Amino acid sequence: METIYQLLHVTFANVPAWTVQVAAFLIPIAFIFGVYPAIFALTTLVERKALGRIQNRYGPNRVGIFGVLQPLADGLKILLKEDIVPRVADKFTHFLAPVLIVVPGLLVYLVVPVAPGMVAVDLKIGVLFALAVGTMSAIALFMAGWASRNKFSLLGAVRAVAQVVSYEVPTVMAGVAVIMAAGTLSTLTIVQRQGGGILNISNWYVFRPWGLVGFVLFVIGGLAESARCPFDLPEAESELIGGYHTEYSGFKFALFQMGEYLAGMAMAGVTVTLFLGGYMGPGSGPGLVGSLIAMLWFFSKLAGMIMLNIWIRGTWPRLRVDQLMGFAWKVLLPLALVNIVAVGFWHFLTPRPLAWVVTTGWLVIWFLVLTKCNASAILEKREYRYV
Amino acid sequence: MNIAFWIISAVAVLGAVLAVTLRNLVHCVLALILFFIGIAAHYFLLRADFLGTVQILIYVGAVAVLILFAIMLTHNVTGVDGPKELLGVKWWSGAAIAATLAILLKKAILSDPLATLLPAGDKAQSSVAEIGKALVAGWVVSLEAIAILLTAALIGAVVIALEEIQKS
Amino acid sequence: MNYPGKGLVEGLAVTARNFVGSYFYKDRLTTVQYPEERIQTPENSRTFPFLVFDESPDKPRCTACKICEVECPPKCIYIVMDRDDKGKPLQRPKAFDIDISVCMQCQICVEVCPFESIKMDNDYEKSKYGRFNDLVQRLPDLLKSNDYYRQIKPVKAAEVDAKLKAEAEAKAAKKAAAVAAAAAKAAATPPAGSAT
Amino acid sequence: MNIPLGHYLILAAILFAIGLAGALTRKNAIIVLMGIEVMFNSAILNLVAFWHYKHFAVPTAQLFAIFAIAIAAAESAVGLALVIAVYRHYKSVDVDEMKELKG
């Protein structure tokens, strides 16, 4: 916000100061409310097309050229649908849930920097804020499922809440590794720490042994927290009809979709910030041109993470409920704790090559140990008739 | 800023009142969440943003969910308390207790010179680094004690809740 | 080499191959982009009956014999024979209606037709806006040329053509034989007649 | 911000009173626990208010608040586990019905 303020102040020197202040206040808000929902609309289209290609189909290509107007058509269709509220539903809660579900997703973007200095609020506790706000979606999901007065909705809600709470722990722990390495909770500073090196790339945390492990953990946790495949048990169609949004239709249903996608994109944005160097990349730096390049880098990384999510969704089957909990508590959480120790090694072992060897060895050994311990949970390879 | 104080206070008080008076247990928890968020907002207003975030993370994200699960595991959730508990003798006695306590506390608070204390000036956010340093420097024993307490509480909760299952 | 998560990685590789491959190899995409491209319907597929004519629509093969009308199980065929001014049958239908909302596509009319006149169509785009009259196919809708029939069902059409040709030849031969016989008879009788 | 400290203290007192009233009058053990949570939070709010107005330079009060939050979380976990155990035994979470000390 300060950067925008200064930029505006220099550019429009002769307008009243309060106008500049208000503008500097409103621009980030407008950005968050404009750009990310637009990316959401685009993502729905890209996701459908990419899933189609993954399954050797075309995907939507009827509305407009290459189907680019499909999100518009979807939106119109869903706006015109009838809004049905079950007679026995808890009306107020039923109404409130879809409103609340969009809020956490949008709040996370407040602390995601898109260019040098360009972050809506540079909180000193940015990472913690993003993770804490991300948890709040569980409440909205529970409200939705409970207010619908439907067994399947309630089951979906209970699954959603249990899943979000369980996967919150390893996700936060994976974030703690980055916080320890960067020595700060501010997202802007974390991104700045990842600059420099070869082409602004080599210092990204994902290119460290602990960073790679943390990245994988964080991506898995992010998928689980935004209830995307392969962790979409709360809305498993084949088991629960639609989970917590079974009893929603029309615009409220659209809000649920939007909240889910926004949360997923927010987690992708936080992942980019923490592990993939945020806006850092060749050519990004201060100044207008550098900022634009940085923005380009950030959004292409975000797009890459979204594509990774889509790829995973198109490939992996859904987990079973017991496997889900076991995976979080028996594999991810120990690995995250081990990862924190690995960051400690990284910090204190002075010759870098030694730190590389020790950290990598430590993580690999623990990974193998964990695999061995969980061997009973790993399924035997099965032969299918249609290979 | 003054307006923020009054709005947030209203939200917190509303949440607290609804949390202890509503009939529907799940509504109670939702009101309690409102109260927690109000308190978190107060922390942000008091420039303790680390505490505010911790409040959201722990109370909204964990404790409220825990209570919701406890309700799911114990009750058939809706309309169990019945209207007679509300606005009955008990309710009035409770209201009287609350009013008496509030009035007494108010008198005690207002009689103290501290009550008119104003903040010294607009200060920066509190640093998380300071809290962290203090935690592992001066208060490390307390920190470890809290860690042990949490572990013990975790194990204790599991043992208590599992007991009956093992018997049967 | 076996490592944890091998199956997951292999799965990702498969889907990545599909994703990239579908942009480069058209034959990976099995979807038919329907209104623009259509696939040739199989020879044995059938929808509703139509009437075949050989040269021009006013000379259909159908003779309005009403066998199909009688045999039709749901009774969806309605035929009126064309007659000239004097009431003499013209051996062609004046009206031939098929209610395709009633027709059950059983192909019995095709089986019983002695003149190879009624055949099953492949055209599946029969949806109409109206509910009653639009679904009744009148004579002009039903009449389609033999070329069309050859186009949609080449093998069967060739068989039918061969059969009709053989029949026509047999008929012609028979006629020729009859003419010859008559001529022979005519040739034979006058002497007898002249003899008497 | 020119809200005097007294406002925060009175707010915390009101919240404490509400929580106490809830904990005393409601029959449902879960709501009793919720009332106790309200009381906890108002106490911590007091602590933070004092820190903000009086001892802003030292983070000790925040540490205390963090410890209090941790203890409250542990308390609620154990308390709810107890409620579930009691429910399994009595098939009720009505605190008036839990009169016996033996299980």
Side-chain angles (χ1 to χ4, degrees), chain A residues 38 57 62 84 86 126 138 141 159 170 183 199 245 249 271 277 314 370 386:
Chain A
R57 292 185 287 109
R62 291 283 140 182
I84 300 166
L141 295 186
R159 277 187 184 187
L199 284 176
H245 55 57
S249 60
T271 316
L370 280 173
Y386 305 104

Side-chain angles (χ1 to χ4, degrees), chain C residues 136-193:
Chain C
V136 177
Q137 300 253 294
R138 312 278 173 190
L139 188 57
D141 310 321
L142 289 170
L143 280 171
K144 285 174 181 173
S145 71
N146 197 18
D147 291 335
Y148 172 78
Y149 182 49
R150 284 193 199 113
Q151 196 190 327
I152 59 169
K153 300 187 177 183
V155 178
K156 275 188 189 166
E159 276 173 22
V160 168
D161 283 351
K163 189 182 156 206
L164 284 180
K165 201 180 166 193
E167 270 175 19
E169 273 169 8
K171 210 172 165 186
K174 211 172 163 189
K175 207 173 177 182
V179 167
K185 212 176 176 185
T189 34

Side-chain angles (χ1 to χ4, degrees), chain A residues 106-123:
Chain A
L106 283 171
L107 278 180
V108 173
Y109 295 118
L110 282 178
V111 293
V112 176
V114 294
M118 298 268 188
V119 59
V121 191
D122 183 20
L123 279 181

Side-chain angles (χ1 to χ4, degrees), chain A residues 26-45:
Chain A
L26 286 180
I27 285 173
I29 297 174
F31 189 81
I32 288 173
F33 274 82
V35 170
Y36 292 105
I39 296 179
F40 151 70
L42 199 62
T43 307
T44 54
L45 173 68

Side-chain angles (χ1 to χ4, degrees), chain C residues 57-176:
Chain C
D58 49 322
K59 276 190 238 162
R61 282 184 191 167
C62 179
T63 57
C65 65
K66 298 195 180 182
I67 293 177
C68 50
E69 186 182 9
V70 173
E71 292 288 335
C72 180
K75 297 278 173 266
C76 67
I77 304 177
Y78 172 73
I79 304 173
V80 176
M81 188 183 276
D82 202 6
R83 289 168 192 275
D84 64 2
D85 301 336
K86 292 168 203 161
K88 192 185 160 211
L90 283 177
Q91 295 219 328
R92 68 168 191 231
K94 183 181 174 190
F96 197 114
D97 298 347
I98 295 177
D99 190 345
I100 60 169
S101 65
V102 177
C103 174
M104 61 183 204
Q105 310 168 348
C106 62
Q107 211 182 351
I108 287 175
C109 50
V110 177
E111 308 287 339
V112 297
C113 183
F115 302 103
E116 304 288 353
S117 162
I118 191 162
K119 290 292 170 197
M120 297 308 280
D121 204 344
N122 279 3
D123 179 20
Y124 42 81
E125 291 164 324
K126 294 277 193 199
S127 53
K128 294 275 160 45
Y129 286 103
R131 194 165 162 191
F132 300 106
N133 284 328
D134 287 8
L135 284 173
V136 177
Q137 300 253 294
R138 312 278 173 190
L139 188 57
D141 310 321
L142 289 170
L143 280 171
K144 285 174 181 173
S145 71
N146 197 18
D147 291 335
Y148 172 78
Y149 182 49
R150 284 193 199 113
Q151 196 190 327
I152 59 169
K153 300 187 177 183
V155 178
K156 275 188 189 166
E159 276 173 22
V160 168
D161 283 351
K163 189 182 156 206
L164 284 180
K165 201 180 166 193
E167 270 175 19
E169 273 169 8
K171 210 172 165 186
K174 211 172 163 189
K175 207 173 177 182

